[in-house]
Amino acid sequence: MSPKARLIQGNRACAEGAIAAGVRFFAGYPITPSTEIAEIMSEELPKLSGKFIQMEDEIASMSCIIGASLTGKKVLTASSGPGISLKQEAIGYACMTETPCVIVNVQRLGPSTGGPTSSAQGDIMQARWGTHGDHPIIALCPSSVYECFTLTITAVNFAEKYRTPVYVMLDEIVGHMREKVVLPDADEIEVIDRKRPTCPPEEYKPYQIGESLIPAMADYGTGYKWHVTGLFHDETGFPSGNPQVIDAQFKRLMAKFKKYEDEILLWEETETKDAEILLVAYGSTARSALEAVNILRTEGIKAGLFRPITIWPFPEKVLKTLAGKVKKIIVPEMNYGQLFLEVERVCKDKTQVSGLFKVDSLPIAPDEITAKVREVL
Amino acid sequence: MKRWEFRLSGSGGQGLITAGIILGEAAVIEGKEVVQSQSYGPEARGGASKAEVIIDDKTINYPKVVIPDLLLAMSLEAADKYGSEIKENGIIILDSSMVSGFKNEKAQIIEIPITKLAKKEIGKTFVANIIAVSALVGLTEVVSFVSLKKAILSRIPKGTEDINLKALEIGWALIK
């Protein structure tokens, strides 16, 4: 056996990934099925001179990590449905102020308190549009314990590099299950730090835009004085009601994500080269879909799997190309059809898209997917 | 080796998830692929609880048990709820101190008074899960006794080694 092989939970892999990426500040409020992440951070961060704070609620937790991020820390919070709903206002503030932060959502069945220990994928659209107003956002979706580790690192790197909130969207199955993993060593992990100003403090303009479209971010308490506001603001950081300033800020925020889209969009294809039936699935459901592909292939049915790893922004160009080559697309999801809407929007001119939706607290089993494939064939 | 799917069921607080983790860790020690998952209600104690473990040489895609090769049932509710889902010629281990009058023609049924033995021989019912996982490994030989012992010792709280190893021996002796 490999000396490094361990049987660990997805939630633990997520916490360890955050630490490996340099997260040294966690604020949160415990909620099933995400609680283990807070527990592990509370044990591990003090050993690394980091800080763990259990706040009075989720709103405060989200605000707290934004504050810590402004001082230069890499930050994380973790929650589930009801808690993520509460965080939304502050997430919008992080979008507007371009504050790097990572929010882990271990999805449970909703709405409301719903099913605390039941798996679901019902927060996909909330991740995209949970906070009000137009805003770009990044959401990553792991399918395995190993990927909980690697994608949390990616999420922290994206947050730092692009100055944005990033969601890591686990589901209860991926968060709670244990799998054998051999995690990479620290020297095999790429860690990205945010760009900081190189000018003297008196010359610093916090939202001065260079070619990168990503303004340099000064740590509070280092002599750089700047104003942070959820109002539209100009390059000094102070509020502005000037339509040209507002328009420019909006356009730049959108252009920033477009500029780095090639780096942000992650996906995986399995058996898609000659596929006639394409499954589009993510999170734990992608594992059922992969098993379904294996079963269908042994029966001579040419099935393949497209697994978006970055679900927001949605990797639509590559999927559109694939859609032009297949006869049918099926989207299995543990919700009433959320990413399905996106797949349908992208692919409906190219091929027929059907959904397989399940919201009874149970996972979608491979034979349910194979049955659906045989039905549409 | 063949793929093994185990379902360990009972009520919350009986240590079934811990038993599942120990079984999984024993398989990791032997270099096998493992996925362990669970389902339980919002209650901390009581309520139906199950832990599932899949052990294979190959990559495991779907992480949940479809139909188990072996079912452990440590409560009447669990036996009623899960007792009909078992592979043809599969194994059902019943804690006969909790379950009586159970029948399933498809499976080989092994009745062991697991909780009573834990109480009588060790004086602590909380080691019943170790007796159960020991009997399970003895029956299936899915991992070796040595790997199981190693996994138990690395998982249990310090100071409980003696009683847990005694539980391991009791479970093993029942089968072998």
Side-chain angles (χ1 to χ4, degrees):
Chain A
M1 119 195 201
S2 162
K4 292 190 294 176
R6 292 193 293 158
L7 185 73
I8 62 167
Q9 235 181 9
N11 282 347
R12 170 168 284 279
C14 179
E16 291 189 12
I19 287 168
V23 167
R24 292 295 178 270
F25 189 94
F26 181 99
Y29 188 83
I31 180 170
T32 301
S34 75
T35 303
E36 292 85 1
I37 299 172
E39 281 176 353
I40 293 160
M41 296 307 265
S42 75
E43 282 168 18
E44 298 302 323
L45 283 179
K47 297 179 196 165
L48 300 162
S49 305
K51 287 275 184 292
F52 169 90
I53 302 181
Q54 181 173 323
M55 296 298 286
E56 69 269 31
D57 62 30
E58 288 87 349
I59 304 172
S61 307
M62 190 64 215
S63 305
C64 197
I65 65 163
I66 292 170
S69 182
L70 292 170
T71 72
K73 295 286 182 204
K74 293 187 181 177
V75 299
L76 183 81
T77 190
S79 193
S80 189
I84 300 289
S85 293
L86 286 170
K87 289 178 193 292
Q88 289 304 330
E89 184 190 355
I91 291 171
Y93 183 82
C95 290
M96 189 61 143
T97 57
E98 295 172 77
T99 304
C101 54
V102 176
I103 305 117
V104 179
N105 180 358
V106 189
Q107 294 171 88
R108 64 191 235 181
L109 193 57
S112 189
T113 32
T117 54
S118 305
S119 197
Q121 297 177 311
D123 306 347
I124 298 305
M125 281 299 170
Q126 184 194 42
R128 182 66 196 88
W129 294 116
T131 197
H132 60 278
D134 286 296
H135 60 279
I137 196 88
I138 299 176
L140 308 176
C141 201
S143 280
S144 66
V145 171
Y146 184 82
E147 214 173 41
C148 286
F149 181 83
T150 56
L151 276 190
T152 305
I153 295 171
T154 305
V156 176
N157 285 344
F158 282 179
E160 291 290 316
K161 182 169 183 191
Y162 307 121
R163 285 192 61 176
T164 176
V166 178
Y167 281 103
V168 185
M169 304 293 287
L170 277 61
D171 55 60
E172 186 275 341
I173 294 173
V174 170
H176 270 169
M177 74 181 184
R178 290 175 180 81
E179 257 184 308
K180 186 184 86 170
V181 290
V182 178
L183 298 181
D185 291 328
D187 59 7
E188 298 168 67
I189 295 167
E190 191 199 9
V191 171
I192 297 173
D193 295 323
R194 68 188 67 169
K195 190 171 75 181
R196 292 183 163 83
T198 50
C199 64
E202 59 277 15
E203 288 171 24
Y204 179 54
K205 285 187 183 146
Y207 292 96
Q208 188 171 44
I209 310 309
E211 204 182 315
S212 73
L213 303 183
I214 304 162
M217 187 169 170
D219 300 354
Y220 262 79
T222 57
Y224 289 82
K225 295 187 177 111
W226 58 296
H227 186 77
V228 187
T229 176
L231 293 166
F232 280 95
H233 42 268
D234 61 20
E235 63 178 11
T236 68
F238 284 96
S240 170
N242 180 336
Q244 281 172 326
V245 171
I246 293 170
D247 187 51
Q249 188 185 346
F250 249 135
K251 281 191 175 138
R252 199 254 312 161
L253 268 180
M254 301 300 177
K256 181 172 86 170
F257 277 68
K258 205 78 200 155
K259 183 177 171 81
Y260 297 101
E261 202 176 64
D262 288 348
E263 297 170 27
I264 294 168
L265 295 179
L266 309 170
W267 70 88
E268 186 183 78
E269 293 178 38
T270 309
E271 306 266 19
T272 53
K273 280 216 173 83
D274 63 342
E276 292 174 355
I277 290 277
L278 185 69
L279 303 174
V280 179
Y282 54 93
S284 65
T285 306
R287 301 174 68 112
S288 309
L290 188 56
E291 188 63 21
V293 167
N294 291 343
I295 295 166
L296 291 164
R297 286 268 164 183
T298 62
E299 294 171 8
I301 297 170
K302 287 180 180 165
L305 171 66
F306 178 78
R307 178 169 76 91
I309 297 170
T310 306
I311 49 172
W312 303 118
F314 188 65
E316 59 181 82
K317 263 186 233 152
V318 59
L319 181 60
K320 195 163 197 161
T321 308
L322 277 175
K325 297 178 189 165
V326 301
K327 289 180 184 158
K328 301 268 166 75
I329 290 179
I330 294 170
V331 187
E333 276 187 285
M334 284 188 285
N335 57 39
Y336 265 96
Q338 294 196 12
L339 206 65
F340 167 79
L341 294 173
E342 198 68 0
V343 177
E344 192 184 46
R345 177 183 70 78
V346 170
C347 303
K348 68 177 181 218
D349 296 340
K350 304 273 183 185
T351 190
Q352 186 199 325
V353 185
S354 351
L356 170 59
F357 310 134
K358 192 173 176 183
V359 197
D360 63 356
S361 84
L362 297 173
I364 301 173
D367 63 358
E368 294 175 82
I369 300 175
T370 54
K372 181 75 186 177
V373 169
R374 288 184 205 107
E375 178 197 313
V376 302
L377 263 180
Chain B
M1 77 170 248
K2 76 169 221 152
R3 175 188 174 102
W4 280 98
E5 300 197 358
F6 299 95
R7 179 172 286 156
L8 318 181
S9 64
S11 58
Q14 283 183 313
L16 292 159
I17 294 174
T18 305
I21 294 169
I22 287 170
L23 179 60
E25 288 185 335
V28 169
I29 288 169
E30 299 193 352
K32 299 183 164 99
E33 295 301 319
V34 185
V35 176
Q36 183 272 325
S37 67
Q38 58 240 302
S39 75
Y40 56 94
E43 313 90 344
R45 293 283 178 276
S49 160
K50 76 176 169 175
E52 296 184 341
V53 183
I54 303 173
I55 300 174
D56 203 340
D57 285 333
K58 295 184 282 291
T59 307
I60 299 160
N61 292 324
Y62 186 56
K64 298 281 183 180
V65 165
V66 180
I67 299 178
D69 300 280
L70 184 146
L71 169 72
L72 166 70
M74 289 189 55
S75 75
L76 192 57
E77 193 189 347
D80 284 345
K81 194 168 174 186
Y82 304 116
S84 61
E85 288 176 20
I86 188 78
K87 280 206 184 113
E88 202 72 45
N89 303 319
I91 302 168
I92 299 179
I93 303 177
L94 294 177
D95 183 346
S96 56
S97 27
M98 302 291 187
V99 186
S100 58
F102 177 85
K103 284 196 173 59
N104 185 324
E105 304 296 327
K106 273 193 291 188
Q108 177 193 359
I109 296 179
I110 314 276
E111 294 187 66
I112 307 171
I114 299 169
T115 305
K116 268 190 194 147
L117 278 169
K119 190 160 186 159
K120 190 170 141 230
E121 302 291 329
I122 303 175
K124 310 272 184 203
T125 53
F126 68 73
V127 293
N129 62 342
I130 302 297
I131 298 179
V133 76
S134 175
L136 175 156
V137 169
L139 277 166
T140 59
E141 297 180 340
V142 63
V143 292
S144 72
F145 182 82
V146 176
S147 301
L148 178 62
K149 187 174 172 180
K150 218 188 244 180
I152 290 171
L153 287 173
S154 70
R155 174 56 56 178
I156 54 164
K158 276 211 164 49
T160 64
E161 291 85 353
D162 290 349
I163 55 171
N164 277 297
L165 290 182
K166 196 169 170 198
L168 169 69
E169 297 291 348
I170 291 169
W172 198 260
L174 285 167
I175 301 303
K176 297 288 167 180

